[in-house]
Amino acid sequence: MAELLYRLGKFSARRAWVVIGAWLVVLAIAVGGFLVGFKGLATSFDVPGTASGDVIAELEDELPEFSGASGTVVFTTDDGSALTADQQAQISALVADQSDLIDVAGVVDPFDAQQQLEDQQQQLADGRAQLDDGVAQLDAGQQQLDAGAAQLAAGQQQLDAAQAQLDAGRQQAEAAGAPTDELDAQQTQLDAQQAQLDAQQAQLDEQQQKIDDGRDEIATQGEQLELGTELAGYADGIRLVSEDGSTALVSVSFTEPRLDLPEESKQSVIDHFESEPIDGVSVSFSTDISQGIPEIFGVGEAVGLIIAAIVLLVMLGSVIAASLPLVTAIFGVAVGILGSLAFSGVVDMASVTPMLAVMLGLAVGIDYSLFVVNRHRKQLLQGAEVVESIGLANGTSGNAVVFAGTTVIVALLALNITGVPFLGLMGTVGAVAVLVAVIISTTLTPALLGLLGMRILRRKVRAHLGEGNRHEPPVVKPMPTWRAVLTGLVAIVALLVVAIPALSMRVGLPDGSTEPHDSSSYEAFTVAEQQFGAGVNSPLLVTAQLPEGTTEDDVLQLQVDVASTLAAQDNVVAVAPIAVSDDHTLAAFQVVPAEGPSAVSTEQLVRDLRALPPVDGDIELGVAGQTAINIDISEGLSDVLPLYLTVVVGLSLLIMILVFRSLLVPLIATGGFILSLFATYGAIVAVFQWGWFADPLGISTGPILSFLPVILVGILFGLAMDYQLFLATGMREAYVHGSSAKLAVAQGFRAGRSVVTAAALIMVSVFGGFVFSDSTMIRSVGFGLAFGVLVDAFVVRMLLMPAIMHLLGRSAWWIPKWLDRIMPDVDVEGAALERRHHLVTSDDERADAAGDPDPEVATLVGEPEPSSR
């Protein structure tokens, strides 16, 4: 590899315009691909196989209108007074006009909905009054009926007495042989009277049946009313207009699921409700709507680059030399990001994905180019010829860059083993950015160095090149053993202390409370919380699978059973039924927790609801909604962290055993990496969760970004191995060349400390610039990477690792002989290359001018190689 890079460096230096032209063509292709293939980025994340995902799939089949994303538009008066009738009318007009909204299924007018809720309460009260009136009317009718029955009974009694007298008279008349015509006439009259009584009795029976039926109907209605009243009671407290009338919540539901909702759909809602400002009323949007694509480059990032430029200027000594790594890094980021975004129409790419690639591309791009430029500059100061120096710099430092970049790329690509699609894609795009940075550092950087020639050095330095080195080389001595012991102990204790907050880490996804305080989503979150309670920002969507054969008459009782079970749980403020499928197989409920989406109680509530046994023995419950989805995603990412950390640590050991041909050095490096990783976790928790120094940084506290711990493992591992490589290989070279083990530690550390210091400061400044991003996610990622690099480079690699290496002495480089024999010789620093190729001086230049082609260049360009130089 070193020989190939040596030849590639010389070819790039001599054919600079060819290389530059080729890269410009690559950039043009990336731009073209971006213009054709860019289809937007997603602002949400998904972990397959979650419980909430199964509920959403069920809703898509049974209640599709509730399976889409949703958000809230918050209208509130500037002075806290109640919304006037005119202001309400203007808000309602905006709600009614939905012609310019994209992928919107419906928008709820808060005033109509609030009126309906109040009307429903009134209807229940009126229904109770009507039932009471009906019972009173039935009681009055029953009294009248009882009175009529009593009169009828008295008439029947009189008729029965008359009939008895008539029967007695008939017997006497028949016994005496008297005529009975008069008696027959009386009997006819009595029969007519009996018929009248029977008809009246039938009427009374009919009226009694009606009263009985009325009582049954009132009893049934009373039961339904009681159920409806109970169900409405569980929803008491759910409002869309605040009690003081100053704030109204407009609910927006989308046709597309949250994970498939395009940015333009959310932006159409923002544009629509901001299109006609209402005097005295401010409008803000919940995170589900307002969370957009963060800007790739802002003021903080620019400040970070300026600091990096200052470090480069101090390190390299000239403006031209300092600007070269910056130019190549920015060019590489443009190629990598535009090329990756060209595939956004093929795969779902999260908004934070290109930001991570920008961070990595800038940081490693500057560092990798710096390594090559710095090596070339040192060789020029030794009197080397330009092209030969470029070749050797590319074959030595460039070889180290390839190895260092490979470790970062492998660690990032390993994110795909987590099984989380968006996380794997983030790693892949980041790996592409690093790969481009490596290729540019070993091709475009040598080409630009070839064009610059000796101008890479300051004019004053070039004027004194022929005078030789006027300074004696410094005397390097091993550190005292007591200092090594003290340094090691202090470093370990300090890292462990900083890591303590990591024990209380809680992970989650951003909500409105963690957004910048001047953002629309933060305003919407805080206003809604103040006016409606914290739980309004974290509603849960609960589904209930109703028993087979459920009829329309059964639904209300089942809804009450489910709602009562849900309302009985701790930290539940309100439960409201929102829909039942047409076939009566699925019911949906809204559950309002007591606290916000990032609260521990809300997270526990989701778990408690999922752990409930089936209601009534056969009604299974499911939990979804934005808050539940975020919790599921966070738990899924936490579950993959141990696996990923194990893979990365194992990979670390194998690679470093191969590079350093030692067993203890890899263990030291890996142990140091784990210490710096958990110290970084601790610092992130202290700042972003506990709130230490959060106010000066403008940071809102909350759970740690759920995928941040996993991301940090991969990136910090790769970068840690970069610094380990540039320091430990120098120590190994010194040891192999005859220095004692302890002296080799001091010599290797002195040889690599300046470039590692500069590289680390550059990375810290670039990553640190993203701490001031408008996006909460980008802020935490930038802080974690900046702090992680700072700790790993300056505490672990430059303090702890040399101290332990000093204490181990010769045993640090021990390796079993059988293992040493079977391992390939990985010449990372290109020592063998330096032995094969000396630094060409002016005499060699004159020989080249005589016409002897360089054999390496001849091989690359196809010219016949001469037998000797």
Side-chain angles (χ1 to χ4, degrees):
M1 176 60 74
E3 185 69 29
L4 176 62
L5 291 172
Y6 166 78
R7 297 185 180 189
L8 181 61
K10 293 184 69 174
F11 173 80
S12 299
R14 288 178 171 168
R15 300 290 188 272
W17 288 112
V18 173
V19 174
I20 293 173
W23 274 111
L24 290 175
V25 170
V26 172
L27 178 61
I29 294 173
V31 171
F34 172 79
L35 295 176
V36 173
F38 180 67
K39 302 301 180 184
L41 300 173
T43 55
S44 55
F45 309 93
D46 184 25
V47 175
T50 60
S52 55
D54 296 338
V55 174
I56 295 298
E58 187 178 35
L59 286 170
E60 288 176 346
D61 293 335
E62 300 291 338
L63 293 169
E65 63 271 26
F66 294 98
S67 64
S70 63
T72 305
V73 184
V74 181
F75 288 93
T76 185
T77 55
D78 297 334
D79 57 2
S81 61
L83 289 161
T84 65
D86 181 59
Q87 290 170 335
Q88 292 183 16
Q90 293 182 65
I91 295 173
S92 296
L94 286 172
V95 172
D97 180 16
Q98 304 176 21
S99 58
D100 57 346
L101 299 180
I102 303 173
D103 294 330
V104 171
V107 183
V108 177
D109 187 316
F111 309 107
D112 288 347
Q114 186 65 43
Q115 188 61 49
Q116 290 175 9
L117 288 174
E118 294 173 1
D119 291 346
Q120 185 182 31
Q121 293 291 338
Q122 187 61 45
Q123 288 172 2
L124 289 172
D126 293 344
R128 170 54 60 192
Q130 291 173 1
L131 286 178
D132 292 341
D133 290 343
V135 170
Q137 291 175 3
L138 288 175
D139 289 342
Q142 186 67 53
Q143 289 177 358
Q144 294 176 359
L145 190 62
D146 291 343
Q151 293 176 359
L152 187 62
Q156 184 67 51
Q157 187 176 9
Q158 293 176 358
L159 186 61
D160 290 343
Q163 183 67 50
Q165 291 177 359
L166 182 61
D167 291 342
R170 182 179 293 281
Q171 289 177 357
Q172 291 174 1
E174 288 177 351
T180 60
D181 295 340
E182 184 177 351
L183 294 175
D184 292 339
Q186 292 178 0
Q187 183 63 52
T188 301
Q189 291 177 356
L190 289 177
D191 290 342
Q193 291 176 3
Q194 183 63 52
Q196 290 177 355
L197 289 177
D198 291 341
Q200 291 175 0
Q201 183 64 50
Q203 291 177 355
L204 287 177
D205 292 341
E206 183 179 354
Q207 291 175 0
Q208 184 65 55
Q209 185 62 45
K210 289 181 179 179
I211 290 177
D212 292 341
D213 292 343
R215 290 190 184 279
D216 292 341
E217 183 177 354
I218 287 179
T220 301
Q221 292 177 353
E223 291 176 0
Q224 295 292 311
L225 185 63
E226 290 297 330
L227 292 174
T229 303
E230 183 180 357
L231 197 58
Y234 295 133
D236 188 30
I238 295 180
R239 300 182 60 89
L240 294 177
V241 179
S242 61
E243 293 184 359
D244 62 4
S246 65
T247 306
L249 304 180
V250 176
S251 178
V252 180
S253 57
F254 296 92
T255 57
E256 299 299 319
R258 169 176 172 264
L259 300 170
D260 298 330
L261 186 65
E263 178 65 21
E264 63 176 349
S265 301
K266 295 187 290 185
Q267 189 60 46
S268 71
V269 175
I270 296 175
D271 294 340
H272 175 77
F273 285 100
E274 289 183 341
S275 61
E276 299 180 14
I278 302 173
D279 291 338
V281 177
S282 62
V283 58
S284 54
F285 305 88
S286 65
T287 307
D288 314 86
I289 297 175
S290 62
Q291 188 179 65
I293 309 301
E295 63 177 2
I296 292 182
F297 199 80
V299 176
E301 292 82 354
V303 172
L305 283 182
I306 292 173
I307 297 174
I310 295 173
V311 174
L312 287 169
L313 185 60
V314 173
M315 178 72 181
L316 300 176
S318 74
V319 174
I320 293 178
S323 62
L324 195 148
L326 289 174
V327 170
T328 55
I330 294 173
F331 184 88
V333 166
V335 171
I337 298 304
L338 291 175
S340 298
L341 291 178
F343 294 92
S344 62
V346 180
V347 294
D348 293 328
M349 192 174 294
S351 59
V352 73
T353 300
M355 295 301 299
L356 179 65
V358 168
M359 288 186 196
L360 289 174
L362 284 175
V364 302
I366 294 173
D367 276 6
Y368 292 168
S369 183
L370 167 64
F371 295 148
V372 176
V373 172
N374 185 58
R375 181 64 177 255
H376 172 58
R377 178 177 170 275
K378 286 183 177 180
Q379 291 171 170
L380 290 181
L381 292 175
Q382 297 173 10
E385 184 269 330
V386 172
V387 174
E388 183 70 17
S389 175
I390 293 172
L392 278 175
N394 212 45
T396 53
S397 291
N399 193 38
V401 163
V402 170
F403 172 79
T406 301
T407 60
V408 179
I409 290 170
V410 170
L412 289 171
L413 290 178
L415 286 169
N416 287 278
I417 70 172
T418 61
V420 181
F422 83 87
L423 201 58
L425 185 60
M426 287 176 65
T428 301
V429 174
V432 169
V434 174
L435 176 63
V436 171
V438 170
I439 298 175
I440 281 183
S441 298
T442 54
T443 56
L444 185 58
T445 297
L448 295 176
L449 289 174
L451 286 180
L452 292 174
M454 297 298 294
R455 286 174 294 174
I456 196 71
L457 302 176
R458 287 184 301 167
R459 183 178 301 175
K460 183 183 294 186
V461 174
R462 296 199 302 268
H464 295 284
L465 278 181
E467 300 178 5
N469 187 2
R470 292 171 292 177
H471 302 282
E472 293 294 329
V475 178
V476 180
K477 295 182 180 179
M479 75 175 78
T481 300
W482 66 266
R483 180 183 297 175
V485 173
L486 181 62
T487 300
L489 289 176
V490 171
I492 291 174
V493 171
L495 291 172
L496 291 175
V497 170
V498 176
I500 290 175
L503 298 174
S504 62
M505 178 186 290
R506 291 182 57 240
V507 295
L509 289 174
D511 55 46
S513 66
T514 60
E515 294 295 327
H517 290 187
D518 58 350
S519 65
S520 174
S521 55
Y522 181 81
E523 180 183 354
F525 187 95
T526 53
V527 169
E529 183 178 60
Q530 292 167 1
Q531 294 293 334
F532 301 93
V536 73
N537 289 308
S538 53
L540 302 176
L541 180 62
V542 177
T543 60
Q545 295 179 346
L546 303 182
E548 186 176 353
T550 298
T551 64
E552 181 72 27
D553 296 334
D554 301 329
V555 168
L556 183 59
Q557 180 64 61
L558 295 176
Q559 284 182 313
V560 170
D561 293 343
V562 173
S564 63
T565 301
L566 297 175
Q569 304 306 306
D570 293 336
N571 300 304
V572 171
V573 171
V575 179
I578 55 177
V580 178
S581 62
D582 293 336
D583 58 1
H584 305 137
T585 59
L586 187 70
F589 298 81
Q590 183 186 61
V591 176
V592 179
E595 296 187 273
S598 60
V600 176
S601 65
T602 304
E603 184 176 337
Q604 186 60 45
L605 175 60
V606 172
R607 295 193 179 96
D608 291 343
L609 292 177
R610 287 174 173 165
L612 286 174
V615 179
D616 294 344
D618 55 357
I619 301 178
E620 297 283 350
L621 300 181
V623 185
Q626 180 70 49
T627 302
I629 291 173
N630 288 351
I631 291 172
D632 288 343
I633 292 175
S634 300
E635 289 182 348
L637 291 171
S638 298
D639 291 341
V640 303
L641 179 59
L643 169 64
Y644 184 61
L645 182 59
T646 301
V647 171
V648 168
V649 169
L651 182 66
S652 166
L653 289 171
L654 293 176
I655 291 177
M656 286 188 292
I657 289 174
L658 180 64
V659 172
F660 301 123
R661 310 188 82 80
S662 164
L663 294 182
L664 293 181
V665 171
L667 290 175
I668 296 170
T670 303
F673 160 67
I674 294 175
L675 282 174
S676 63
L677 177 67
F678 282 96
T680 303
Y681 287 168
I684 292 173
V685 170
V687 174
F688 286 86
Q689 185 174 315
W690 292 2
W692 292 7
F693 308 106
D695 289 339
L697 296 175
I699 294 171
S700 301
T701 59
I704 304 306
L705 185 63
S706 54
F707 57 82
L708 181 57
V710 182
I711 286 290
L712 289 180
V713 170
I715 298 175
L716 292 182
F717 159 71
L719 300 181
M721 294 310 101
D722 286 1
Y723 303 137
Q724 179 71 22
L725 168 71
F726 285 100
L727 289 173
T729 51
M731 298 175 185
R732 183 174 182 275
E733 282 297 314
Y735 178 71
V736 170
H737 285 84
S739 297
S740 66
K742 296 184 177 181
L743 179 60
V745 170
Q747 291 173 331
F749 176 77
R750 186 177 185 86
R753 67 181 179 183
S754 60
V755 68
V756 170
T757 299
L761 289 176
I762 289 170
M763 283 202 174
V764 170
S765 61
V766 171
F767 292 145
F770 288 87
V771 175
F772 303 97
S773 170
D774 291 335
S775 170
T776 301
M777 291 187 291
I778 301 303
R779 285 185 173 194
S780 58
V781 173
F783 177 85
L785 292 176
F787 188 87
V789 169
L790 184 70
V791 168
D792 193 87
F794 293 103
V795 178
V796 174
R797 305 303 154 193
M798 301 183 72
L799 290 177
L800 179 60
M801 192 270 294
I804 296 179
M805 293 280 290
H806 175 90
L807 295 176
L808 289 176
R810 294 180 58 184
S811 59
W813 304 107
W814 176 82
I815 188 172
K817 292 183 179 179
W818 63 268
L819 182 59
D820 186 56
R821 285 194 301 269
I822 64 175
M823 287 194 308
D825 185 12
V826 181
D827 185 16
V828 176
E829 282 291 346
L833 179 70
E834 290 185 277
R835 290 192 294 268
R836 291 194 300 270
H837 302 276
H838 64 284
L839 292 177
V840 181
T841 61
S842 57
D843 293 337
D844 298 310
E845 265 191 315
R846 286 192 291 272
D848 287 340
D852 293 336
D854 183 83
E856 288 75 23
V857 177
T859 302
L860 284 175
V861 300
E863 298 178 5
E865 181 178 340
S867 58
S868 62
R869 287 181 59 95

